[in-house]
Amino acid sequence: MVAKRHISMRVCISVLFLIVSLQGAAQSFILSGKITDAKNNPVPFASVILKGTTIGTNSNADGAYSLRLNAGKQELIFQSIGYKKEFKTIELTSNTELNVIMQSDNYELKEVQVKVGEDPAYEVIRQAIKKRKYYLNQVESYSCNAYIKGLQRLYEIPKNLGKLLKITTGENPIDSSMLGIIYLSESESKYHFRKPNDEKEIMYSSIVSGNNNGFSFNQLSDMKFNFYENLVQINGLSDRPFISPINDNAFLSYRYKLLGTMFEDGKMINKIQVIPKRNTDPCFHGVIYIVENSWRIHSADMYMTKESKIKFVDTLEIRQLHASVKGDSIWMPVTFNFGFKFKIFGFRGNGYYNAVVSNYEINPVFPDKFFRNELFKVEDNANKKDSSYWKSNRPIPLTQEEMYDYKKKDSVTKITDSKRYKDSVDRKFNRVKLQSFIMGYNYRSTYKKINFSTTGLLTSGVQYNTVEGINASMNFKFNKEFEDYRKHDIEASVRYGFSNYLWGGKIGWSYLQNPEKFQQFAINMQSMVTQYNGSNPISESMNSIYSLYLNDNFIKLYKKTSLQLYYRRELVNGVYFYGTVEYAERSPLKNSSDRLIQDDPNKLFTSNDPLHVNTHDSLFSTNNALVIDLVFRIRFKQKYYSVPNRKIISGSKYPRVNVGYRKAIPGLNTKADYDLLSLQLDDNIQLGLVGTFKYRGMAGYFLNNRYMSFMDYKHFNGNQTVLANRNHLGSFKLLPYYTYSTKNWYAEAHAEHHFNGFIFNKIPLLKKWRITEVVGGHFLINDRMDQYYELTFGIDKILQLIRFDYALGYGPYGKFTQGFLIGIDLDF
């Protein structure tokens, strides 16, 4: 028994000793400090790396850093673009402060034998270009961790904006409190990549200053520009990809200058200035650092300006720092930093996004089906991490400005999120003012997420057509949102024609029941005038102008009284179902007004019968129709983002396919009897520097057309005015609205190529205007005609809003048509 006790005692002591030893081994401390230059100025976003690993952090905008390390002897590397690398060895036995002074890199020009008149930089770039593909394809796959901080601040607002808002809304919310940080967020994510283009990023923590329920959309995939690619895509900021400084044809776009060399870890680093040959080309300015002999990128310090036609910002700065992650054979980016400045409509501001990339795992083994179609996922509890979590896990310390912003907004949010505060603000907002009658009235209950609005005298829409004469309408909207993004919407309108004394109205309710599956139910009822072409290709405002001034009453109307049920849902990823059932009474309408402001004696108004425009007594008889519409929309390998309770579609490299079937069922006091099978194919294809090619093809066949009224025909989106919809690819520019409508079969195709400045940027008088060029083609064939063609040549993005087109049409009987058109983004 005694022996057994001694054995038990020894076992307990051994276990206790093991636990204590493990605790000591796992003990860690915080190493922190400030990184400055020789003049005691902070070095922002400097990289701090534990030697031999990819564990590290960055300094913040004030040069402060903080890094948790295991106890014991540690060797650290401090580096930043433009400074010499610093090595520090420290014995960690407690939380320690270590301040570091970094010396300027002091690059010196080397003596080399070069071609006459050629800068030594050109030979370095030639060697880097030769090695570009090798480094691009060196790593087949990898995983890494990313911490990203994003900050945007506003430092100037328009002086007269407050006065304008006071006049239009009766309130002036503009004051100096708007200045300072307007957005601050942090996130942590795990990023995975596999060649050729598989990627997946999982965000597991997120915080947004002043928004406890918000998610930051910081993504490493948006920041990891790869200069080893020939073309660098800058999503959202440019319609064109940018040319890498080591592009295979870089010498056509860049000039280079060697600024000097220096030695780092026994390696010579070439500092090369990158200079675009043409400022309006999609090229980078700045400096790229190339390692001698290996010819790999050491780091890059680039910027772009508005001259390069970037959008939203005036200047975008990009800084990258590469470091070895596997011996000296593989280098990967460990720091990404974006800085930007913007000026828009009198607002001025700046900001940055800073990413620390660590814990690289090269060529990991991924499970089967790990890379599917989900590109980005935010975990459900990502925004539930408290301040203590961030204090322990944040790799970059907060600046004083950032700490103040979190503290201020957290305090303010506790007040502004309360029902009492929101109701008090809403009571003031909901007061009926003089502007309410002119511009419309808005009511809101912020706490309950309810909004209601009506149109006013100027926004109600007073129009003219020959059926109703002068007509006026008033619109109402109501919506209720929920925390999980479910939503109810109710829209209603009333309308009155002063010439035919006809009242009309409609009301619709829709419920977005499952945002992740896009599942929506809707019920719509109406008794109102309706265009024969349900796509409404004719603008009521434009028709009013043409009718009153030019004797052209293009719009053709009938009265529709209907009940419609609608359902939509994504069945599986990329496959959507849309279903509609509608019972409608269709009644004919005649012209009741011939009002004119300017009369053309050689032109008369046409009748309201699209089939017989010169006869006013040939209208159809009132009839009923029961129509079922079924559409399957397919996007193969659709990519998407997942956030709690929502799914955000990213796109696909494959075309979209729509397959539709429409059936009109006779009986039940209905006459309409037809079947239409239709197919649509469309896509946008990015062609690099040459631009974007867009196309849409549609075809249909009536399997049965036993009884059809004219509104049941297949109509085409034509145009007979000078106004064309700028972005509607499926419309013609010169085709009459109803001349070639069919009840048998049809095929049409539309294509446009947007050069995005590829040509104009090379013409001195045009490249400064930021306008772009576009060409297009349109084709139609059906049983009503042999063939119809259109060619268009356009200038787009005039004032970022307007597009001019010259269109040339060739139709039946060898007839040519032509015209100039203007397109705008507004629903005119």
Side-chain angles (χ1 to χ4, degrees):
M1 179 70 70
V2 175
K4 289 183 179 180
R5 285 176 183 168
H6 283 300
I7 292 172
S8 299
M9 181 70 70
R10 284 196 295 269
V11 169
C12 290
I13 292 172
S14 299
V15 170
L16 182 62
F17 179 79
L18 177 62
I19 292 172
V20 171
S21 299
L22 288 173
Q23 287 179 336
Q27 193 172 15
S28 61
F29 299 106
I30 299 294
L31 177 68
S32 61
K34 190 167 184 178
I35 304 173
T36 59
D37 62 16
K39 296 181 179 179
N40 204 34
N41 296 313
V43 179
F45 312 121
S47 177
V48 183
I49 300 175
L50 181 64
K51 187 175 181 180
T53 74
T54 59
I55 298 170
T57 185
N58 281 6
S59 62
N60 65 19
D62 294 336
Y65 75 94
S66 176
L67 182 62
R68 181 177 291 276
L69 297 170
N70 290 335
K73 186 177 180 180
Q74 305 289 359
E75 187 171 357
L76 296 142
I77 303 171
F78 295 80
Q79 53 186 335
S80 180
I81 298 174
Y83 295 90
K84 292 181 179 179
K85 186 184 292 187
E86 297 286 340
F87 295 88
K88 298 291 182 182
T89 302
I90 189 168
E91 186 76 29
L92 275 183
T93 57
S94 62
N95 292 341
T96 303
E97 180 178 344
L98 175 64
N99 296 320
V100 175
I101 299 174
M102 301 192 73
Q103 303 296 326
S104 180
D105 52 25
N106 293 327
Y107 279 79
E108 296 180 358
L109 285 174
K110 61 179 180 177
E111 294 183 6
V112 293
Q113 187 175 4
V114 299
K115 297 177 182 178
V116 176
E118 182 180 72
D119 191 282
Y122 283 83
E123 183 58 30
V124 176
I125 294 296
R126 285 191 191 96
Q127 298 300 326
I129 290 173
K130 289 179 182 178
K131 296 285 285 187
R132 182 191 67 81
K133 285 187 178 179
Y134 171 78
Y135 290 122
L136 177 65
N137 298 311
Q138 185 181 23
V139 176
E140 285 293 322
S141 62
Y142 65 88
S143 296
C144 61
N145 291 92
Y147 163 84
I148 303 175
K149 181 194 293 182
L151 180 147
Q152 299 173 33
R153 61 169 66 86
L154 192 65
Y155 56 78
E156 185 176 324
I157 56 179
K159 294 180 180 179
N160 297 319
L161 180 61
K163 294 179 181 179
L164 179 62
L165 291 174
K166 183 71 174 179
I167 293 171
T168 56
T169 68
E171 296 184 7
N172 178 14
I174 306 298
D175 57 45
S176 59
S177 64
M178 292 182 61
L179 301 178
I181 294 177
I182 56 175
Y183 175 79
L184 172 61
S185 71
E186 299 172 88
S187 66
E188 294 176 301
S189 61
K190 185 78 173 180
Y191 179 80
H192 310 275
F193 175 82
R194 184 179 65 189
K195 286 189 174 299
N197 295 307
D198 292 330
E199 61 180 349
K200 185 172 184 177
E201 187 169 358
I202 301 172
M203 182 185 292
Y204 54 87
S205 60
S206 170
I207 184 171
V208 180
S209 179
N211 187 355
N212 295 330
N213 295 319
F215 294 96
S216 59
F217 278 86
N218 306 334
Q219 292 176 240
L220 184 63
S221 53
D222 285 341
M223 299 183 67
K224 64 176 198 68
F225 294 168
N226 189 348
F227 290 108
Y228 289 120
E229 296 278 2
N230 266 326
L231 299 174
V232 180
Q233 190 68 47
I234 304 178
N235 295 324
L237 290 180
S238 177
D239 295 326
R240 308 175 294 173
F242 273 63
I243 301 169
S244 168
I246 56 171
N247 180 290
D248 288 341
N249 299 305
F251 294 116
L252 297 176
S253 302
Y254 289 103
R255 292 184 289 111
Y256 301 93
K257 181 179 180 181
L258 181 66
L259 300 180
T261 63
M262 71 167 290
F263 283 87
E264 183 179 278
D265 297 337
K267 302 179 183 67
M268 188 167 73
I269 313 298
N270 296 280
K271 181 179 182 180
I272 297 173
Q273 185 178 4
V274 176
I275 308 163
K277 289 186 175 180
R278 293 167 294 273
N279 287 334
T280 53
D281 279 357
C283 293
F284 298 95
H285 301 252
V287 176
I288 189 168
Y289 298 79
I290 304 292
V291 181
E292 187 83 4
N293 296 324
S294 66
W295 312 115
R296 61 162 48 101
I297 296 174
H298 172 277
S299 52
D301 188 358
M302 303 289 182
Y303 71 92
M304 296 161 286
T305 67
K306 293 190 75 171
E307 286 186 313
S308 301
K309 298 188 177 179
I310 56 175
K311 299 184 290 187
F312 308 119
V313 297
D314 291 335
T315 305
L316 177 66
E317 300 170 349
I318 300 174
R319 293 163 64 93
Q320 275 187 19
L321 180 63
H322 296 226
S324 61
V325 297
K326 190 174 182 180
D328 194 45
S329 61
I330 297 176
W331 287 33
M332 299 290 285
V334 294
T335 298
F336 296 94
N337 181 259
F338 291 179
F340 56 88
K341 299 175 183 177
F342 63 87
K343 176 185 177 184
I344 181 169
F345 301 127
F347 291 92
R348 289 177 179 266
N350 58 26
Y352 68 82
Y353 282 83
N354 187 33
V356 179
V357 186
S358 59
N359 298 324
Y360 273 101
E361 185 180 356
I362 303 300
N363 297 327
V365 177
F366 295 108
D368 291 341
K369 299 181 179 180
F370 179 79
F371 294 102
R372 297 294 296 270
N373 297 307
E374 185 182 53
L375 298 178
F376 181 71
K377 178 181 176 61
V378 180
E379 293 185 344
D380 289 343
N381 63 344
N383 64 347
K384 306 302 180 185
K385 310 294 174 66
D386 59 18
S387 58
S388 60
Y389 171 87
W390 284 101
K391 187 175 182 180
S392 300
N393 290 273
R394 177 184 289 122
I396 301 177
L398 296 175
T399 65
Q400 291 295 323
E401 180 188 29
E402 293 162 354
M403 285 190 286
Y404 175 75
D405 188 74
Y406 272 124
K407 184 177 180 180
K408 180 186 73 172
K409 288 180 179 174
D410 285 348
S411 300
V412 170
T413 300
K414 290 177 182 178
I415 299 172
T416 57
D417 278 354
S418 68
K419 183 178 185 300
R420 180 179 179 182
Y421 177 84
K422 289 182 176 180
D423 287 349
S424 67
V425 174
D426 287 342
R427 278 193 295 271
K428 184 178 180 181
F429 177 84
N430 295 335
R431 293 173 186 165
V432 179
K433 314 172 187 71
L434 176 62
Q435 292 90 340
S436 303
F437 297 99
I438 300 172
M439 303 300 297
Y441 174 69
N442 291 275
Y443 170 88
R444 72 187 185 197
S445 175
T446 309
Y447 186 80
K448 295 180 180 179
K449 295 183 178 293
I450 290 175
N451 286 278
F452 172 77
S453 64
T454 68
T455 51
L457 294 174
L458 291 182
T459 57
S460 290
V462 177
Q463 309 292 349
Y464 174 81
N465 62 65
T466 54
V467 174
E468 300 171 289
I470 295 174
N471 61 84
S473 60
M474 190 169 186
N475 303 315
F476 308 86
K477 292 183 180 181
F478 170 88
N479 67 70
K480 160 68 178 174
E481 297 182 1
F482 299 90
E483 293 292 339
D484 58 0
Y485 300 102
R486 290 179 298 118
K487 184 171 66 169
H488 290 280
D489 283 290
I490 298 175
E491 294 191 20
S493 64
V494 293
R495 180 176 178 129
Y496 182 70
F498 287 89
S499 181
N500 65 353
Y501 311 110
L502 181 67
W503 281 96
K506 63 181 178 181
I507 185 170
W509 164 81
S510 67
Y511 175 45
L512 182 60
Q513 187 265 338
N514 185 345
E516 290 182 280
K517 291 294 183 180
F518 304 98
Q519 181 166 289
Q520 184 179 37
F521 305 90
I523 301 174
N524 298 290
M525 294 181 288
Q526 77 166 55
S527 181
M528 187 179 281
V529 296
T530 304
Q531 292 191 43
Y532 280 88
N533 185 345
S535 298
N536 297 326
I538 310 168
S539 161
E540 290 201 53
S541 300
M542 206 65 182
N543 181 76
S544 299
I545 295 171
Y546 268 77
S547 297
L548 292 170
Y549 289 93
L550 300 172
N551 289 49
D552 287 319
N553 56 324
F554 294 124
I555 205 165
K556 307 300 176 187
L557 303 167
Y558 71 99
K559 183 182 178 183
K560 181 178 179 180
T561 302
S562 64
L563 171 65
Q564 183 192 80
L565 306 179
Y566 169 83
Y567 177 74
R568 178 190 73 185
R569 179 183 170 87
E570 184 181 35
L571 304 178
V572 296
N573 180 53
V575 179
Y576 299 84
F577 169 74
Y578 302 80
T580 304
V581 179
E582 181 181 74
Y583 187 90
E585 178 188 78
R586 294 92 67 90
S587 304
L589 296 171
K590 292 185 177 182
N591 288 341
S592 65
S593 175
D594 57 2
R595 185 183 299 272
L596 290 165
I597 293 177
Q598 182 174 315
D599 187 17
D600 183 348
N602 298 317
K603 189 185 296 184
L604 296 174
F605 282 137
T606 58
S607 78
N608 190 46
D609 184 350
L611 282 171
H612 309 91
V613 294
N614 296 316
T615 305
H616 293 271
D617 57 0
S618 60
L619 296 171
F620 67 93
S621 300
T622 299
N623 65 81
N624 299 331
L626 175 62
V627 180
I628 297 175
D629 243 323
L630 305 176
V631 176
F632 289 91
R633 179 183 175 187
I634 305 167
R635 193 72 188 264
F636 300 102
K637 293 190 176 181
Q638 173 185 268
K639 305 298 183 181
Y640 63 92
Y641 300 158
S642 296
V643 299
N645 302 308
R646 280 193 299 166
K647 180 178 181 178
I648 301 170
I649 305 305
S650 175
S652 169
K653 64 180 180 179
Y654 297 99
R656 288 180 293 269
V657 179
N658 285 15
V659 179
Y661 175 66
R662 180 179 298 166
K663 171 65 177 176
I665 303 174
L668 298 175
N669 198 30
T670 59
K671 288 187 176 183
D673 184 4
Y674 64 89
D675 297 78
L676 172 63
L677 185 65
S678 61
L679 178 68
Q680 177 176 309
L681 187 73
D682 61 270
D683 199 8
N684 295 351
I685 302 174
Q686 302 295 330
L687 297 176
L689 296 175
V690 182
T692 303
F693 179 72
K694 304 178 181 181
Y695 70 87
R696 176 174 296 170
M698 294 175 278
Y701 183 77
F702 284 89
L703 306 173
N704 151 43
N705 60 3
R706 279 187 286 270
Y707 189 93
M708 297 178 67
S709 297
F710 191 65
M711 68 284 296
D712 300 319
Y713 285 38
K714 168 60 183 178
H715 305 292
F716 306 100
N717 293 328
N719 182 58
Q720 293 175 255
T721 72
V722 297
L723 182 69
N725 191 310
R726 175 185 174 191
N727 293 319
H728 193 185
L729 183 62
S731 64
F732 294 91
K733 309 299 182 183
L734 302 173
L735 185 74
Y737 295 111
Y738 294 111
T739 303
Y740 303 110
S741 298
T742 182
K743 61 176 182 178
N744 290 297
W745 61 272
Y746 67 92
E748 60 180 302
H750 307 267
E752 284 190 347
H753 185 78
H754 295 254
F755 287 93
N756 297 332
F758 179 76
I759 299 173
F760 285 176
N761 284 341
K762 297 172 176 61
I763 302 174
L765 295 177
L766 296 177
K767 63 183 182 180
K768 293 184 178 181
W769 288 86
R770 300 175 65 85
I771 56 177
T772 61
E773 57 281 67
V774 56
V775 297
H778 307 268
F779 169 79
L780 174 64
I781 185 172
N782 63 24
D783 62 292
R784 299 290 306 279
M785 63 172 164
D786 293 331
Q787 293 175 354
Y788 175 78
Y789 302 93
E790 284 182 358
L791 289 175
T792 60
F793 306 89
I795 300 174
D796 200 3
K797 295 188 178 176
I798 301 170
L799 302 177
Q800 298 298 307
L801 180 69
I802 300 171
R803 168 174 160 177
F804 281 116
D805 277 287
Y806 169 72
L808 180 66
Y810 177 77
Y813 314 111
K815 183 180 178 181
F816 281 94
T817 55
Q818 63 179 341
F820 290 93
L821 300 97
I822 182 172
I824 57 177
D825 274 333
L826 302 177
D827 183 17
F828 185 75

